[in-house]
Amino acid sequence: MTQLNLAVIIKLEPDFSEGSVSYNPDGTLNRAETKSTLGPHSAVAAKAAFYAKVRYGARIAVTTMGPPMGEMALQQAQQTCDAEELHLYSDRIFAGADTLATAEVLRAGIQKLEDKADIVFSGHRASDGETGQTGPQTAWKLGYTFFGNVIDYHVDVQTRTITIKRIVSLQGFYDVVEEVQAPLPVFIAIDPSYKATFNTVSERLAYEKYQKEAKIRADNYKQYLKVFNVQQLGVDQTLVGLPGSPTIVYKVERIPKGKANRKAEVLDGSNPEHIRKAVSKIKEALSAMVIK
Amino acid sequence: MEKYDVAIIGGGSAGLAALKQLSNLGKQAVLIEGGHKVGTKNLSGGILYSKKPKRGKVFNVEDVYGDAFFTDKPFERKITSYILHAASKNKIYSMDLTAAHDYEANFGYSVLLNKLNAWFAKQALESAQKLGGGIIPGVHVNSISWDAQTGKTTITTDELEEFEVKAIIAADGVNSEVAEICGVRPKFTPSQLYQGVKVVVKVPEEIINERFGVESGEGAAHLFSGDVTLNHIGGGFLYTNSNTLSLGAVYHFDSLLSNPTDPSSLINALIANPYVSEFLKDQIPLRKEIDKSLPQEEQMRVRFAVAKLIKTWYELRDAALSPTGRENLIKSGKYSSAEEIKEKLTFIQDQLTQKYGVSFVTDYNESEYGAKLIPDGKRCRMKKPYFKNILFVGDAAGRGIFIGPRIEGLNVGIDDAVRAANAVAASLDKNNFELKNLGESYSFAVEQSPYTKDMTEIDKDYLKIFLDAAKDVPKDIIGSRYGPIIKLMSSGTFRSVAVKFANILGYDRLLPMVESEDTYVKVPILIAERLGKAVNSTYLPSIPSLAQRIAKLNYDDDKQSHIKVIDNKTEFMKKLTILCPTKCYTLENDQVMLAHEGCIECGTCSQETDWKHPRGEKGINYQYG
């Protein structure tokens, strides 16, 4: 069987889970206080790549652009997908990059991988920027066929073709599943609803084996990590970082709070009188409903 | 279709031992487990024995896993004292049965199955993977079929594509679905089963040491009879783990059916006993009601801060009161000395009391409630534990030892598993899976096991130890009923004759005489009242309600029910509204309804329901087991 090579682009993002996130008094994110973690969409991308590891024994590389701390996200992704190669593109020059300048760095990085990537995975979008542009732009720069909202895929390793399923909304109908076949290489932005399923005993055995391997590798992730600065990456400095960014974040505004149209009443669960009140309210609501 | 040599169904202690033994013999096997992880669906009272019978050989845990078992220590404590108590109200009379516990034993360790089976799994998986096998969690087997022409065995599951195997080891527990699928035996009946309920209670390690008079690493086992049984045949137990206690009640299912009692109240009766409650007690932080006049954000902040501080207090206290815990904390670099840990603990405690009005009261801290059915090997062991190319082991084969205070299951399952694995390996070598070669040779091997002998005959030497321990009990208490028997049994020569005679009679005829309300309830109450020491409780344990107990459990709910009531008007089902350990059934208009799915998969109701294990990954996830 010929080898299948995958790359996953990921992002270190603020951890929005409870207890980790911290806000400034004005309601904006306090980046210094907030912990960082592998973005949830990036994690789905890593899971999607792991599927190919289990099914086809694929070789996986995970890449990210970010501060030195980004290696944390790489380690987390490695634990998910059992990657053989980790790339961190880190340089002060990269700071202030918009999606296009980021895509340029990722493009250069992916082309520096030990083996040419047959499939590149990205998340649906980042949970902090939420533009969903970096993936498609990287695909365009790489010259790869791009598929977004992918929920399932199968590879014919011999003929080097991929069959993907993607969720699209079509003429007002949501959740139409489109099945597309394409020659490799391709770029896949994975849909958040993606869930890998392993249906045979051999796949399950491989799954357990690679998961164990992933844990061991992630414990020694430095061994797999390569860090590149702008020179090492060999990118045109005018195309990266702030100078390479045609867009900037000019202003962030809070989303105006929608006007509540429900009247809420706070009840004390330990007070029987309040419970009685709640029950009678529920009864009232139910009696108004027509049950067919 | 994918093909494998052997499938082991069920990842409990027996199934895992089979996998490890097959791997040790260089044979490929895959183990299919329903839980999302091995060990999450297993529950045991909690002692794993290693035995050295005078006659014959058994396969022990260390024979399967080697010295790693002693170096990795996946167990809790080595039980060094074994005591039987007779209880009546606040009076307790104790008999030291350590000699009976040590009888023919290399050791008996207290264990928590979640941890123990996870360790077994790690060892077995490592060996199995080298041979192309392994463990597949989260898969529920729903059928097995044999091709009429070729005899090829196909396993069908809820989750995976069908696959073919040459032989199967069924280790799917007391409610074996494999046994049901192939119809090799009827479901076990109430007279063949015990129902066990257990709670895990947290107590710091060094407090356990002091209270039970043991060193770290050593432990005690206490058994209870008398009024704590609420007039049922069976008893209570209290085992020491590293930093928890296993407190449980095991009763004849028959006895429970004839006088239905809510299983959680059987546990509660033990907790309420002053002698027991003194073992369980600990310092418990009690939160102050939050001042509702404070702004909502402040209320939230206080609630959050108190929760976090209490959590830290528990963790730190647990570590501070354990030699290895202190060592680990110092090693981690967070603290420089034991004093510093103590200071920090006092600091947190002060903060809780002074800043947040938390008071520290004497109470007990219950962590996990669980239940399981236990097969009484004397009554229900499968005489021929095989069907075609399927071998049944452990609970699935109805094999467990229950002789008075002698309760063994895990070691029996491991011994069976090794015998099954050996038989399968020999069949693989010959590529012959016919009954004569596989099933019957396994059955023969199991018959040779000293454990099988224990399930069929009385051991007069064991009986002597037991009688010696009871020698201080005045004969008149035991009464006219047992007087002559005891007298007869106490004399060496007569005992041999009597036991021989008894063994001719057989367990079937003897058991109703010995396993009676007199033995487990009335006589112990008399003993305790006459000879017992009075113990007074220093506190009133606040026992959680069943709802609170269920709320603490961790489930992966399944939209699809795994229980179907067949007839909702039978007497049995009506009794189930009381006997289900999590009260899954209610009675509405004289009909039994499945009220909720807080099912902990004990199978108590399986006799008259269409009961299956939940689909893969679904259902209960025990944290301790």
Side-chain angles (χ1 to χ4, degrees), chain A residues 218-260:
Chain A
D219 285 344
N220 307 294
Y221 75 98
K222 293 234 179 206
Q223 214 175 298
Y224 304 89
L225 178 69
K226 286 180 206 152
V227 185
F228 296 82
N229 61 21
V230 72
Q231 278 88 22
Q232 287 159 328
L233 211 52
V235 284
D236 181 345
Q237 296 206 12
T238 61
L239 295 178
V240 298
L242 201 56
S245 299
T247 65
I248 55 159
V249 177
Y250 157 69
K251 191 178 161 192
V252 179
E253 276 182 29
R254 297 181 76 168
I255 299 169
K257 217 173 179 180
K259 216 175 159 192

Side-chain angles (χ1 to χ4, degrees), chain A residues 18-19 195 198-210 212 266 268 270, chain B residues 2 4 30 125-126 129 132-139 159-161 163 292 304:
Chain A
E18 212 185 309
K195 204 171 180 292
F198 302 105
N199 293 329
T200 65
V201 172
S202 59
E203 280 171 18
R204 289 289 184 104
L205 290 174
Y207 175 85
E208 297 291 327
K209 188 183 109 194
Y210 288 127
K212 207 170 107 186
V266 180
D268 178 5
S270 60
Chain B
E2 292 190 351
Y4 293 88
V30 288
L125 181 63
E126 220 151 83
Q129 276 181 339
I135 296 173
I136 305 173
V139 173
E159 291 80 14
L160 303 179
E161 287 171 19
F163 61 101
K292 293 259 160 67
F304 187 71

Side-chain angles (χ1 to χ4, degrees), chain B residues 432-470:
Chain B
N432 180 345
F433 301 91
E434 283 166 23
L435 281 189
K436 235 188 228 158
N437 213 26
L438 180 62
E440 281 171 23
S441 92
Y442 166 62
S443 187
F444 179 77
V446 164
E447 280 306 305
Q448 298 303 305
S449 170
Y451 291 141
T452 305
K453 207 171 174 194
D454 290 331
M455 287 176 228
T456 46
E457 286 176 21
I458 297 167
D459 179 343
K460 64 179 191 324
D461 297 329
Y462 179 74
L463 191 67
K464 180 174 185 310
I465 292 174
F466 189 63
L467 292 171
D468 284 349

